[in-house]
Amino acid sequence: MEKFVLGIDIGGTNSKVGLIDESGSIAFREIFPTKSEESFDIYLPRLKEIVDKLLTITGKVPIGIGVGAPNANFLTGMVHEPPNLSWGSVDLKKRFEELFKLPTFVDNDANLAAVSELLWGCASGVKHLLVVTLGTGVGTGIIIDGNVLQGAFGGAGEGGHIEIVPNGRACGCGGAGHLEAYASATGMKLTIKEILGSDVDLALLGTALKSGDKDALKIFGESAKYLGKGLASMATILFPEMVVLTGGVMNAGPIFLEMIRAEFEKMIFRSFRGKIKVEISSLPKEDGAILGAASIVFHNGIK
Amino acid sequence: MEKFVLGIDIGGTNSKVGLIDESGSIAFREIFPTKSEESFDIYLPRLKEIVDKLLTITGKVPIGIGVGAPNANFLTGMVHEPPNLSWGSVDLKKRFEELFKLPTFVDNDANLAAVSELLWGCASGVKHLLVVTLGTGVGTGIIIDGNVLQGAFGGAGEGGHIEIVPNGRACGCGGAGHLEAYASATGMKLTIKEILGSDVDLALLGTALKSGDKDALKIFGESAKYLGKGLASMATILFPEMVVLTGGVMNAGPIFLEMIRAEFEKMIFRSFRGKIKVEISSLPKEDGAILGAASIVFHNGIK
């Protein structure tokens, strides 16, 4: 019999719920507003209603729940004062398990993305993996010997917050010169403004890159330089078999990937050269978050 | 009955052999010249003679051999063209096991230092650890969930070769601006020359630091800035419980440690602040290498 899990992605604006089988196929999905001003005690019954509806429609019984949320800690099961939500700190794992009577796992989206790449993406069979999500921010999910690197207290893998430009741009975290301040969509918008002197839509520039547009080459070239440098620092420490890039910024496609690969090879520790694959995620972007959330349930051996 | 292992450290100038028990006590040690111009086939019988003598004198029978060597790869058991030795590539593990009829493990000195800190140093019970060796070069040994991070192909943890100064000093590895080019003894000698305009002995400056000498404060302050930055990048990725610093440069002592701690806390990802201990190794420096070599035998469960 096919097994299903609930994958739940809680974002600052919307929440997504999906019912996903062991092959990573999505049987059903639903999106609803998170309502960031509401408390968790009001959010949870709203979510329950949607889950119940989804299970009634599909007639499936899930074996577990995976939840992706900002600042979620896999080790403690807690969400600590998520930015953009008025929740304070919540024991997400405990509250979900009490309400749904199902084993529940929580983690942040970059760690979840890394697990879904192992299970259903281009990193099948890879034991040492670095996954970098390039969206509003830059997140990193690290797989060591087949397991997510959580570090001593959970929440390891903040590669978006290593300094790549001394005394550089302010970063959303309060630091300066971090990879995220340059290679995220937010950072690239600043680069566009700096180089072109005006606001040009990033997605449009990504399309222009495919036809060899000069400005696009300049902007993405600049971003590839920073990204190649940051990835090289991470890979010089971790020596993974593969680096997988995901998130909206990667819509720019293969030309951008080639630029990143070239900078990465230039900056990586010399004995590691030519040994680490750098790829774009093959998973569907719009469902990446619920796939990620669902993947940790299977990855943690719930059958 | 007490169990002993042979700890062997192969350096470019000297080799050291020690007989070490499970508590990390050294029953016997011997130093002899490596003779870097000799081939491995000439070196090995010379080593055998010294080991045989040592075992005859002590009357002990070791249960295994741990070997530290430049470019040694734990996963393959090989040494790949070690710099400063005319060995080419050698299957060290195989050759040792054939000759000595004892289970043999090989690794590089930074990884070995990390294991000995777990077993006998200040990191007892720590599951996520970063050990940084500050000598001629900068090496990093990383412990994840109690195991040495080897990465996909062995030899992970080259944190000395992440860029901390864009377009900075040439590094011995062929790169530029790397942590090693600033925070190693070699790098600090360049800093001394740059700041003081002349060669001043690093060990002397370390002693001067203890009495608050202005030049020493300047030199070590500069080094602490680079080191704090590099350690913060590594810890932002790995989120270890503890960072242990070892090697000759750390002879400068507690004032230098406080400078490093301050820079580290300034540069680390903000949510990690105040959570990661930074310490100086408490293991005896002169025997660190053979202790490290011996520790992997016990760590790998040979009893």
Side-chain angles (χ1 to χ4, degrees), chain B residues 262-274:
Chain B
E263 295 291 338
F264 175 75
E265 285 295 320
K266 204 167 83 187
M267 299 302 291
I268 187 90
F269 180 56
R270 301 221 164 170
S271 343
F272 295 2
R273 275 191 183 160

Side-chain angles (χ1 to χ4, degrees), chain A residues 77-144:
Chain A
M78 301 279 294
V79 169
H80 296 280
E81 297 174 6
N84 315 321
L85 291 179
S86 320
W87 288 7
S89 286
V90 176
D91 192 335
L92 214 59
K93 180 180 168 71
K94 191 174 147 224
R95 296 291 300 273
F96 271 69
E97 292 188 337
E98 277 171 3
L99 185 67
F100 293 102
K101 319 282 180 212
L102 285 169
T104 301
F105 300 89
V106 311
D107 212 332
N108 66 57
D109 63 343
N111 285 352
L112 297 175
V115 176
S116 62
E117 290 298 335
L118 279 190
L119 259 61
W120 303 315
C122 57
S124 158
V126 171
K127 292 281 178 205
H128 291 266
L129 173 68
L130 169 62
V131 173
V132 179
T133 62
L134 300 156
T136 313
V138 173
T140 52
I142 298 164
I143 304 289
I144 306 280

